[in-house]
Amino acid sequence: MKENMIEIRGLTKAYGEKIAVDHLNLSIQKGEVFGLLGPNGAGKTTTTLMLLGLTDPTSGQAMIGEKDCTRDPIGVKRMVGYLPDNVGFYTDMTGRENLYFTGRLNGLEKEEIERRAQELLERVGMAEAADKKTGTYSRGMKQRLGIADVLMKDPEVIIMDEPTLGIDPQGMRDLLRLIRELAEQDGRTILISSHQLYQIQQVCDRVGIFVEGKLIACGTIRELGQRMERAGKYTLELAAEPDNEALMQLLKGMEGATSVERENDLILVRSGSDIRKKATLLLAANGYTVLQLRQKGGDLDEIYSRYFEQAEEGERAAAAEREQKRASGIFRKRA
């Protein structure tokens, strides 16, 4: 069984009445690639800042290895590498010179700096561009050099903020391959903060869905999909001929269907159970030819949207309950 490299317990950050991170509990194993997913403003950046010791939590604790992120931020920084969403380099220096500079900042000897920089430039596919000024680099090149820069101090943990943003498809494939390699071959622990679901799905061992400062779901893609199914969250994606209004009415009247709507050339049928067999028989019995029939839910986009909807429904219910209690209190005072 793998040991936990990151341990977060009850981590909370409040800015006045605004709760940016709300009692976060999370464990990330050594050598794991974990994706922290959520929209802008969900609390991902605040969580990252607390892990890096750059802002103190209001309450709770975060540990990386055996180091407390609040009490020993210097110790944490020695073992953690951080790749921001917009990597910055000295643009009038070459990629190699930027790595040399980072090596000196981390107290490495000259020979070690030169050896490590060359190895890393080759590893991230930047050897040919190493002696060009970074001001000429594309975003994808800067991201790859950024990973080399992070690796100069040989960190046990790497935290990445939106690493795939704005990168071309080939650069994306190279970057995702490198991230998996860092975990599988090097045994490094990688935490990726992102809202780009498709890319994250390809590279992460587990994901956590973050909404309004709360971690509302955590697990592998398969586990999260299975939980949605157990909760009665099924979506059937289908197409049939003839595609007419009668088809829509037939599906709306099907036993178990809770909603039927169009999405481009497809029809989405939501239900509380698996109705694939029932839909197939119903369509065949009424003279329709099934062109496509697929149960959604196994991809991260669908899982994310369903959990997000669930969180919004919960928040609306909580808000309604608070308003009801407030109104009830006002009524009692008047009485």
Side-chain angles (χ1 to χ4, degrees):
M1 184 175 178
K2 289 185 177 180
E3 63 179 290
N4 289 333
M5 179 57 75
I6 299 176
E7 285 278 4
I8 299 172
R9 291 289 173 262
L11 197 65
T12 301
K13 181 64 177 182
Y15 296 99
E17 295 184 358
K18 169 67 176 176
I19 307 296
V21 178
D22 192 355
H23 294 87
L24 174 61
N25 293 300
L26 179 64
S27 297
I28 301 175
Q29 294 181 338
K30 180 178 175 61
E32 181 176 25
V33 180
F34 187 92
L36 190 60
L37 311 178
N40 292 332
K44 305 188 302 296
T45 299
T46 303
T47 300
T48 296
L49 292 175
M50 288 189 283
L51 286 174
L52 293 170
L54 297 176
T55 188
D56 292 340
T58 303
S59 61
Q61 183 183 47
M63 302 284 291
I64 297 182
E66 297 182 355
K67 301 185 184 302
D68 188 301
C69 297
T70 304
R71 297 180 179 179
D72 188 9
I74 301 301
V76 167
K77 288 179 178 65
R78 289 196 183 102
M79 63 185 301
V80 177
Y82 176 54
L83 185 70
D85 61 341
N86 191 13
V87 188
F89 293 106
Y90 292 103
T91 57
D92 60 342
M93 291 166 57
T94 67
R96 189 186 306 276
E97 289 169 342
N98 271 278
L99 294 188
Y100 284 3
F101 180 70
T102 297
R104 289 193 295 273
L105 286 178
N106 284 277
L108 300 179
E109 297 294 331
K110 183 176 183 294
E111 293 76 12
E112 177 64 13
I113 290 174
E114 293 176 356
R115 182 192 65 79
R116 192 175 294 188
Q118 183 59 34
E119 287 180 358
L120 292 172
L121 285 165
E122 291 174 3
R123 185 173 189 183
V124 302
M126 289 293 292
E128 291 184 8
D131 297 310
K132 295 178 181 178
K133 292 187 177 182
T134 58
T136 66
Y137 285 6
S138 67
R139 184 178 178 87
M141 293 169 71
K142 288 178 181 178
Q143 288 294 86
R144 281 186 283 158
L145 184 65
I147 292 178
D149 190 69
V150 163
L151 292 174
M152 281 296 291
K153 67 175 182 179
D154 195 23
E156 296 180 58
V157 176
I158 301 175
I159 298 176
M160 299 180 173
D161 190 3
E162 299 287 2
T164 60
L165 195 63
I167 300 178
D168 64 82
Q170 183 57 51
M172 184 87 67
R173 287 190 288 271
D174 292 341
L175 183 61
L176 295 178
R177 174 192 55 76
L178 181 58
I179 290 173
R180 284 305 320 171
E181 190 179 287
L182 292 173
E184 293 172 2
Q185 296 184 17
D186 296 14
R188 303 182 201 272
T189 305
I190 301 175
L191 172 62
I192 301 175
S193 170
S194 182
H195 68 272
Q196 295 196 300
L197 306 185
Y198 177 70
Q199 290 83 6
I200 295 304
Q201 179 169 288
Q202 298 178 69
V203 75
C204 289
D205 297 302
R206 290 189 303 144
V207 298
I209 299 176
F210 217 42
V211 178
E212 296 288 334
K214 296 180 180 179
L215 190 68
I216 62 172
C218 182
T220 65
I221 307 298
R222 181 179 178 81
E223 288 170 348
L224 295 182
Q226 289 173 339
R227 286 177 205 166
M228 293 307 294
E229 289 182 355
R230 288 197 293 271
K233 304 290 185 180
Y234 289 78
T235 301
L236 188 64
E237 183 182 80
L238 65 85
E241 287 184 342
D243 187 351
N244 50 29
E245 185 56 33
L247 172 61
M248 293 291 289
Q249 294 305 316
L250 181 67
L251 293 171
K252 287 178 181 179
M254 181 171 56
E255 182 184 356
T258 56
S259 72
V260 179
E261 59 189 54
R262 286 192 178 276
E263 186 179 90
N264 300 321
D265 296 329
L266 298 172
I267 298 173
L268 303 184
V269 183
R270 299 193 188 280
S271 62
S273 60
D274 188 345
I275 58 172
R276 281 176 291 184
K277 184 176 180 180
K278 188 181 296 183
T280 302
L281 294 174
L282 179 67
L283 293 173
N286 285 273
Y288 288 93
T289 301
V290 177
L291 302 177
Q292 180 174 332
L293 190 145
R294 184 178 76 92
Q295 188 90 322
K296 293 182 70 178
D299 60 277
L300 187 53
D301 279 296
E302 174 69 7
I303 291 168
Y304 179 83
S305 63
R306 297 301 290 163
Y307 271 109
F308 196 80
E309 288 170 13
Q310 195 176 66
E312 287 185 322
E313 290 168 5
E315 182 56 35
R316 283 196 295 269
E321 184 178 351
R322 289 193 297 270
E323 180 60 25
Q324 186 177 23
K325 288 180 178 179
R326 188 187 68 82
S328 176
I330 292 173
F331 179 79
R332 285 197 299 270
K333 286 178 181 179
R334 288 177 177 173

